[in-house]
Amino acid sequence: MTMLMDSEQKTYELAYLLRPSIPETEVLDHVSLMTRAIEERKGSIMYSQEPRGRMLTYPVKKERRAYFGWIDFRLSSDEIGHVAKDIKNAHYLLRHLIVEQETGKKATRAMAASQGRGDGRRMRPLLREREKPEEKL
């Protein structure tokens, strides 16, 4: 049974913006709430980038600054919807995006960063309908 669950697990990345009103000393506490939501659904954290304060290119929910970070994790495809719902309701998030990493790509952002180069992997949006291209008349 364990082998079956492992075969159904996929690799995902959660990118997020935390509210700038969070005191810097509490930022990691909020990250641990997100990692706990993943682990409660039997997911495993592969890498977590500590959030850093950033100026935003455009306002998000009227904020010009935010803490940006990401988490790479493995999780059963059956459970990703539950994790997305848990994270969506978090009051401390300005915005987040969960993407599924393509299979067959061995380089993760963490490995690529440690080697000092871009990772070059392609990601696709999760839980979002694909847009159909408009027909040309």
Side-chain angles (χ1 to χ4, degrees):
M1 177 125 181
T2 304
M3 295 180 108
L4 180 62
M5 285 186 67
D6 289 342
S7 66
E8 294 176 4
Q9 283 199 341
K10 296 182 179 181
T11 304
Y12 298 94
E13 179 177 287
L14 164 64
Y16 57 87
L17 293 173
L18 296 175
R19 295 188 175 278
S21 58
I22 298 171
E24 196 167 338
T25 56
E26 296 177 16
V27 169
L28 293 180
D29 295 337
H30 293 288
V31 173
S32 68
L33 293 174
M34 290 184 284
T35 58
R36 191 174 313 131
I38 295 165
E39 291 169 342
E40 284 175 354
R41 297 288 180 174
K42 307 291 187 240
S44 59
I45 306 300
M46 296 169 46
Y47 182 78
S48 179
Q49 172 64 44
E50 186 174 319
R52 296 183 185 154
R54 304 274 178 166
M55 280 295 285
L56 301 176
T57 305
Y58 56 90
V60 175
K61 295 185 181 176
K62 299 183 180 182
E63 299 288 354
R64 298 290 296 171
R65 295 188 58 80
Y67 294 101
F68 171 73
W70 74 86
I71 301 169
D72 287 340
F73 61 98
R74 290 191 53 79
L75 183 70
S76 168
S77 56
D78 296 337
E79 296 292 332
I80 192 65
H82 298 290
V83 170
K85 183 179 178 184
D86 293 344
I87 291 172
K88 178 181 181 182
N89 297 327
H91 68 280
Y92 49 85
L93 283 176
L94 286 176
R95 185 168 288 170
H96 75 283
L97 177 67
I98 299 175
V99 293
E100 178 185 333
Q101 296 179 4
E102 287 187 358
T103 56
K105 302 287 183 183
K106 292 186 179 184
T108 64
R109 187 184 301 215
M111 289 172 30
S114 69
Q115 296 171 358
R117 61 171 197 237
D119 58 77
R121 67 190 161 153
R122 294 179 48 169
M123 293 183 257
R124 57 188 165 117
L126 179 70
L127 302 176
R128 185 183 252 185
E129 292 182 25
R130 297 203 188 272
E131 296 178 17
K132 295 180 181 176
E134 294 181 25
E135 289 185 28
K136 293 184 179 182
L137 298 177

